[in-house]
Amino acid sequence: MLTTEQREIFGLGADVLDHDYISAIIAGSRVQADELAGLTAEGLEAFGHRELMRAILVLVATDIATRGDETASRMESAGIMADRLVARQGSSGLFSSEGNLDSPPDTAFTINDLCSCVSLIDGRGDDVRVRWSPIRQTLERIALRAAPAVAAGGVHTPNHRWEVASALAGLNALWPDERLRARAELWLAEGIDIDADGLYSERSGIYAAEVTNPSLLSIARDLGRPELRDVVLRNLRAYAHLVEDDGEVENVHSRRQDQRLAYDVELFLSPLRQLAIAHGDADLARLAEGIVRRGLVHPGRHLAELVRHPEIGGRLPEATDPQPAEAQSETDVFYPVSRLLRVRRGQVSASIFAGSDFSKTGRIASGLSNSATLVRARRGALVLRSVRLAPTFFSMGCIRPDGLERVPNGAVLRETRSSGYYEPLAPDVPRDLSDPVSEGRYFAAMDFENRAIDPMSLRTTVTAVVDDAGVSLDFSFGGAATRYAVELVFDGELTVNGGEPFGGGWWLRGRTAEVAGFGAGASITASGFDDAPPDFDEGEMFGYVGGNDSIEGTRLLLSGSTTAASSLRIDLV
């Protein structure tokens, strides 16, 4: 139970406070603050401007929540950090991060934490304001130097708009300036980039959790825009079905770097609690409870939100379904814009994906959904991270389907790829053979658009069906006769029986195999494949620049011909 003094900090009655949550956050933050206060000058060298400001915020929030039990050391450390922050600020008033020089959006990340920190100091009693007055004065100087440049500057990516708008709104709330508010409103006038799935245009768990959702909630408060809370609520409800039992957020459909990363749901926590309480949403409450149950990595960040917005510390609504997520037997959730199907059967959770941007752009690039993963599945600690299929077809690499048709317990994925051979230009056709132009796969001085082509195509169909024991996959083809390889990648280093070492992985030359590790395992049964060595072609788009699209883990390969159908059964046990 919280003490009377602790309850006073949050200004809510004992009967409505979530005592366990608040106690866990305070305890974790005290440890984090002690670690920060104990950093040497050498330890702080690795901190950029964003890490410095976040550390100051954690120290201030912890000091307030613990009634100044270690004030001297925390203030001393925060003072050193604030001085370093001053030294990092450029003459323009902006901060730089790696290659982003004099960056308004990078500066906005720091300014948002700065505004939160100053608001914490200002919103408490005289004792807090007096203790932290020197730090506040330094932060105010930083803020007022940065404000004109952030207001005048631009951005790189969609989420930057909301980070910058939030910083401007926060600055205006503390140091009123109509120009700041007007610039924030100008960004907001573009409209929030949320789609029919409830996902932002970048489809990124990282940026939804760390940027867009907290920014929109701050703007809602600082500019009186309550409708933005409804946007965040839509997004959180969409993510409620994208989180695995261990807290990993499914990001196979993301257009940002987390499409290749395992990202934890923890930084969704404060918005989850706030809106679960406000709307009585049991699904969001269950998700928030799971985050705390697994343990927190960033308690100080949550404490800062809690102290500033005590309603986050209220009791969560009770789940309408008392069963834990892993016991829910059947769930199908389809995200049509992302072409992502989430299927749960018993303890098996799977994602079936056909939403790569490659079919529209013909490119692999930052800001696009690039993943060629067709299916991802897990049961407990065993994770089938990826199933990919790569035909040998004009070095175009893995298939990235552009269609997903739902069927009972799964989906059918389809892709048609085309290429061919170009005929001579007709004598009377105007031609320009001076500069390279794109054929779609490569560039050459060939005036492709004015040539007839002898076309070739390959149609690939993959049917994925999920049950409570695993996944069944059927592969069929039409058009060109060629070879293909299927790749399975399991997380971690697993023991493989039934395969032979091949290309840094295992060739399942036989028809059955087993993998084991983490106290779990999988059995694989294959049919329709042959004994030719697999050639898994990731594509010229990677090979030409000496790159690769490899996925870490235990890699298994199978090989076949498009003249015959094939199938895989993967039981997760």
Side-chain angles (χ1 to χ4, degrees), residues 14-82:
D15 57 330
V16 299
L17 283 174
D18 187 335
H19 296 259
D20 291 341
Y21 173 70
I22 297 173
S23 297
I25 293 295
I26 291 175
S29 298
R30 182 180 276 114
V31 173
Q32 187 179 1
D34 289 345
E35 291 173 351
L36 290 170
L39 287 174
T40 63
E42 183 179 358
L44 287 174
E45 284 299 321
F47 279 42
H49 61 93
R50 289 166 63 175
E51 292 80 9
L52 287 168
M53 187 61 245
R54 177 59 54 78
I56 296 170
L57 175 61
V58 170
L59 290 170
V60 170
T62 306
D63 181 70
I64 293 171
T66 58
R67 294 287 188 175
D69 59 359
E70 295 288 342
T71 293
S73 62
R74 290 170 187 160
M75 285 187 58
E76 181 181 359
S77 296
I80 294 171
M81 294 173 185

Side-chain angles (χ1 to χ4, degrees), residues 469-487:
V471 181
S472 296
L473 299 168
D474 294 312
F475 307 97
S476 60
F477 306 88
T482 185
R483 297 201 58 75
Y484 70 93
V486 172
E487 175 197 67

Side-chain angles (χ1 to χ4, degrees), residues 377 379 381-386 487-500 505-508 512-525 553-558 569-573:
R379 180 176 181 175
L382 186 70
V383 181
L384 174 59
R385 178 60 55 182
S386 180
E487 175 197 67
L488 311 178
V489 179
F490 289 86
D491 278 3
E493 295 185 12
L494 306 182
T495 300
V496 179
N497 293 316
E500 58 185 75
W506 300 86
W507 174 17
L508 303 191
T512 61
E514 294 182 350
V515 299
F518 311 112
S523 62
I524 301 164
T525 304
T554 299
R555 186 183 194 218
L556 287 69
L557 294 168
L558 300 101
R569 173 64 195 181
I570 306 162
D571 286 301
L572 307 173
V573 295

Side-chain angles (χ1 to χ4, degrees), residues 239-271:
Y239 271 100
H241 302 286
L242 289 171
V243 180
E244 301 290 358
D245 296 341
D246 64 356
E248 181 180 331
V249 178
E250 178 58 271
N251 278 316
V252 68
H253 56 302
S254 174
R255 290 186 164 117
R256 298 304 302 271
Q257 63 266 38
D258 52 352
Q259 63 190 272
R260 296 181 63 88
L261 301 174
Y263 180 74
D264 190 85
V265 70
E266 181 186 336
L267 290 180
F268 282 91
L269 179 57
S270 291

